[in-house]
Structure formats: C-alpha cells, structure tokens
Amino acid sequence: MSDTSKVSKADAGTEAQNNTAPADDPTAAGVAVVDPRLLVREEGLKGYWTEFTRKVKGGELGSLPVVIGLIIIWTIFQLKNDRFLSADNLSNISYYMSATGMIAIGLVFVLLLGEIDLSVGSVSGLASTLFAVFVVEHGMNTWLALVLAVITGIAIGALHGFFFARIGVPAFVVTLAGLLGWNGLMLWLLGSSGTINIPSDSGPVHLLGQSSFFMDQAIVGAYLLAGLGVVLSLIGNFNEQRRRRAAGVPFRPTVEILVRVGALAVASFVAAAVLNDSAGVSNSLVIFLAALVIVDFVLRRTTFGRKVFALGGSIEAARRAGINVPMVRITVFAISGGFAAIGGMFFAGQTASATLSAGSGNVLMLAIAAAVIGGTSLFGGRGSVWSALLGMLVIQSIQTGLDLLNMNQSIQFMITGGVLLGAVVIDSVSRRSQKAAGRA
C-alpha cells in the first residue's frame, strides 16, 4: 500500500499511523471500529447521539469547547452592554480579526508539526516595511511591491525551516533568532522617523482599508458570498458521498448532508444580514475567508496536507512511510512566513503606514493564542485552519467587548491568557482521554 493511502485514512491526522491495514483486507475489517456513518444509518437519531457521546468520552471534542466559550463570551458582553451584538460592532470584529487571523493560518501548519514559529510577528512587520520602502522611497508599482514583500516572507520562513530541518537547530531557537533579527532589520529600514506613510489610494492599501467593502457596499454582495459558500459546501458533500459510495465504503446519508448544509445556510445568511445592517462585508474578511477555504482544502484533500498531519502524529512513522520529512518541514515554515507577510499587508492596509509597532507587541502571542484557542493542538497532529477563525473570533470579541466597557488593556491580557490556558488544559485532557480510549 502506498504512503498516500496510509495517510489518507484519517482526515483528522492523528489516526494516520493507526490505519496501516489495507482497506480490502477482510481480517482487518473484522476488527476495525464501526464507522459512525454505519452507526447512524442503522440507528438513526440514536446513532448520532451514540457517536457524539463516544467522541466526548474519547476526548474528541473538536470545536465544541470554543463554540460554547464564544456563546458565553457574547452573552456576558451583551448583558453588560447592549451595543456588543449590534451590526456595527460585529462588523468591526469581523474586520479587525483578519490581519492577525492570516498570521494564525500559517501558524496552524507549524503547530500541526508540534513545533512553534516565534518570528511571525517580526516577519509581518518587516513585510509591511519593505512594502512601504518599495512604494514610497523607490516608486515601485504597489502590486509588484506586495508580491515581493510576500515572497520575502516565504523566503525567510524557508530559511528558518532549513536551519531546523537540515541543520538540526531547534525551531524555538531558530525562530527566536528570527524574531530579534528581522525586527532589527525592520527598525533599520524605518530609520530615525520610525514611520513611513503609505498613500491611501495605493492598490493593496485601498483594497484592505476599513472603508473598502466587497462590491462597494452592495447589499447583494454579502448574500452572494453566503449563497456561494452554501452551494460549494453542498457540491463538496455530495461529491464526497458519491466517491465513498462508488468505493463501497460508508458515506453520509443525504438527510444528514442537507441538515448540515441547511445549518450553514442559516448561519451564513444571518451573518450576511447583520453585516449588511452596518456597511457590508469588508474586503479583508472576504480574503480571510477565501484563504481559509483554500488552505482547508490543501490540508484535508491533498497529499501534502496528509503528510503534514502524518508528521505531527509520528515523525518516525512518516519517515518509514517514505515521506520526505525535511522538505515538508521547510515547506511548512515557508508557508508560515508567507502568511505572516500577508498579515503584515493587512496591518499596513488598516493603518496606511509602516511603523515601529508593526508586528510587535502582542501580535505574535495573539496569533498563537488564536490557533490554540480555536482547537489546534500544541502537541501536533490535530487541528484545522478553521481554528484560526474561531480563535480570532474569541480574542477579538474579548478585546472589543472590553473596549466597550472602557476596561484597561491589562484586563484583556489577563482574560485572554486565562482563555488560552483553558484551551491548552482541554487539549491536554482530551489527549489523555484519547490515550485511555486507545485512539492516540
């Protein structure tokens, strides 16, 4: 059996090393855990409940804790200030979470390997500074400057990955050196003024500014995006059902697919209606969501994504399966650097400038916290890029809610730190539960 087919048995990643028996081996099939799709088809609603309780007892909580936490946070802030769930405030949350969220997407890849990248904040600041230098001081075309800045971030990430994967320097040390070194280069480029203002009418800045909306604030834009998401989800689910049925393996019933897509449709169109009550869907949010969809496809549906999960589950097992471990590691850090640079472009678009504070402060910590709070494991092998969205919703909601209550930023740090600790505790407990259930 090929290493691709070994890894593809587990979309979640951590089961990759457990599914080593060929799919057509009848003896292996006799001892396999009953597929939840079969359980649902045989028992109906009872099957759903049985599978849900099995997952909870086995520590497979998924995004359930963060969704519950988000509901609690929103309820508390709404009770404290009735403007929290207003259309304008929710629009602000959706806009300002995109920059750090883009950085968090890249960090998800690194965390899936069980590693860390401490340089993303400095790389994002350096990318925005390079963009400003190219455009303002050298008169370069803004789109070309943006591409060069992102390529620089990718190259920096690949350099970190090379020292980690080929030389053997721990990722913590390599990226800590990057945090300091690239921040120093950014300060040198900014010079004594410490700030380079970027023309507000330049392409990327105009595209990502706070007043830039999808289809120029047209109401149809938000509903068009919601409908597109629902249609793509429906097509994807039915295609998966068709493939699994043709392969003779368990598949989701049509009723379940319709219920899932229906729930997505309700959430999408409600969100579209709320954002339309404010000013529409910002371009930043559209690009952020598009990045999530594309990266989710890469991680769950491509050979490379399965290799990333396999390395996070067991490096030795991945190596024995024929996976080029150093190359995957270098590529992952290159992806992290690229998304850090894109996040820097978002920050530049929000402020129309490159400053000493770009990428500094709590940007790194919030990006890591977003990925972890959203459900990506610090221990590697388990997570999803959608954790960047969920985690940023939590963090940005806390920040915005405390601003409405006129509370000091120190309170925000303490609350965010407590939420992060809670997420890691849940992750650790769930891993122990999975080991006890024989699934880790």
Side-chain angles (χ1 to χ4, degrees):
M1 181 180 62
S2 66
D3 55 306
T4 301
S5 60
K6 287 181 183 178
V7 179
S8 64
K9 288 230 177 197
D11 289 339
T14 56
E15 296 178 17
Q17 68 262 38
N18 296 328
N19 294 311
T20 56
D24 56 355
D25 184 352
T27 58
V31 297
V33 177
V34 176
D35 192 288
R37 298 175 183 87
L38 287 177
L39 187 65
V40 169
R41 289 166 63 185
E42 292 174 358
E43 300 184 7
L45 292 176
K46 181 182 177 182
Y48 284 103
W49 179 253
T50 301
E51 176 62 10
F52 174 75
T53 55
R54 183 195 67 79
K55 285 185 175 181
V56 173
K57 291 178 181 179
E60 301 176 62
L61 301 178
S63 59
L64 180 62
V66 68
V67 171
I68 294 175
L70 188 62
I71 293 174
I72 294 174
I73 290 171
W74 283 12
T75 301
I76 292 174
F77 281 126
Q78 178 64 18
L79 292 175
K80 292 290 185 179
N81 190 317
D82 58 7
R83 290 182 298 163
F84 180 79
L85 292 180
S86 66
D88 289 339
N89 191 58
L90 292 178
S91 179
N92 286 334
I93 291 175
S94 68
Y95 173 73
Y96 285 108
M97 73 178 183
S98 58
T100 307
M102 293 297 289
I103 300 176
I105 291 177
L107 279 170
V108 168
F109 280 86
V110 179
L111 291 174
L112 286 174
L113 295 184
E115 301 296 340
I116 193 69
D117 187 351
L118 300 177
S119 69
V120 290
S122 295
V123 173
S124 70
L126 176 61
S128 64
T129 300
L130 285 174
F131 173 79
V133 169
F134 290 152
V135 172
V136 177
E137 297 184 1
H138 298 284
M140 185 181 293
N141 176 273
T142 54
W143 295 107
L144 176 59
L146 182 147
V147 172
L148 290 177
V150 173
I151 290 176
T152 301
I154 295 173
I156 290 174
L159 180 64
H160 294 162
F162 173 80
F163 280 105
F164 167 56
R166 295 294 186 183
I167 308 301
V169 183
F172 179 89
V173 177
V174 173
T175 57
L176 178 59
L179 181 153
L180 299 172
W182 305 123
N183 186 62
L185 179 57
M186 179 192 74
L187 297 179
W188 180 75
L189 289 173
L190 287 173
S192 58
S193 64
T195 300
I196 300 178
N197 293 320
I198 304 172
S200 58
D201 60 347
S202 61
V205 176
H206 177 71
L207 176 67
L208 300 171
Q210 191 171 6
S211 59
S212 302
F213 295 90
F214 183 68
M215 296 184 69
D216 295 328
Q217 303 186 32
I219 292 179
V220 68
Y223 293 120
L224 178 63
L225 288 172
L228 179 63
V230 172
V231 170
L232 290 177
S233 176
L234 192 65
I235 293 174
N237 276 279
F238 277 122
N239 279 340
E240 181 182 7
Q241 183 195 61
R242 177 183 53 81
R243 289 195 305 267
R244 297 184 68 88
R245 178 185 283 141
V249 294
F251 53 86
R252 281 200 179 102
T254 301
V255 174
E256 180 183 348
I257 293 176
L258 294 177
V259 170
R260 284 171 173 263
V261 176
L264 174 64
V266 171
S268 300
F269 281 97
V270 167
V274 171
L275 292 177
N276 276 336
D277 282 343
S278 177
V281 182
S282 66
N283 288 333
S284 294
L285 179 61
V286 174
I287 298 173
F288 179 40
L289 292 177
L292 287 170
V293 172
I294 294 171
V295 175
D296 179 65
F297 177 84
V298 170
L299 276 178
R300 295 195 304 112
R301 301 296 183 185
T302 67
T303 301
F304 173 75
R306 291 159 186 156
K307 290 177 179 179
V308 173
F309 278 115
L311 260 66
S314 172
I315 295 176
E316 186 57 33
R319 184 179 289 110
R320 289 172 181 260
I323 295 176
N324 189 336
V325 174
M327 184 55 64
V328 173
R329 284 174 162 176
I330 292 173
T331 305
V332 163
F333 276 89
I335 291 172
S336 178
F339 273 102
I342 294 174
M345 295 299 97
F346 275 64
F347 283 122
Q350 290 177 359
T351 61
S353 65
T355 65
L356 293 173
S357 61
S360 61
N362 59 349
V363 171
L364 168 64
M365 294 298 104
L366 291 182
I368 296 175
V372 175
I373 290 172
T376 298
S377 175
L378 280 170
F379 304 100
R382 188 173 73 237
S384 167
V385 293
W386 295 102
S387 62
L389 172 63
L390 292 173
M392 279 311 305
L393 273 174
V394 171
I395 292 174
Q396 195 63 50
S397 295
I398 293 173
Q399 180 176 345
T400 305
L402 293 177
D403 287 343
L404 286 177
L405 299 178
N406 295 319
M407 288 191 176
N408 193 284
Q409 193 177 38
S410 60
I411 305 297
Q412 174 200 337
F413 289 160
M414 288 187 282
I415 294 178
T416 304
V419 173
L420 174 60
L421 177 61
V424 177
V425 168
I426 292 174
D427 182 30
S428 300
V429 172
S430 66
R431 285 181 64 88
R432 291 174 59 184
S433 299
Q434 286 187 352
K435 287 182 179 179
R439 295 186 59 81

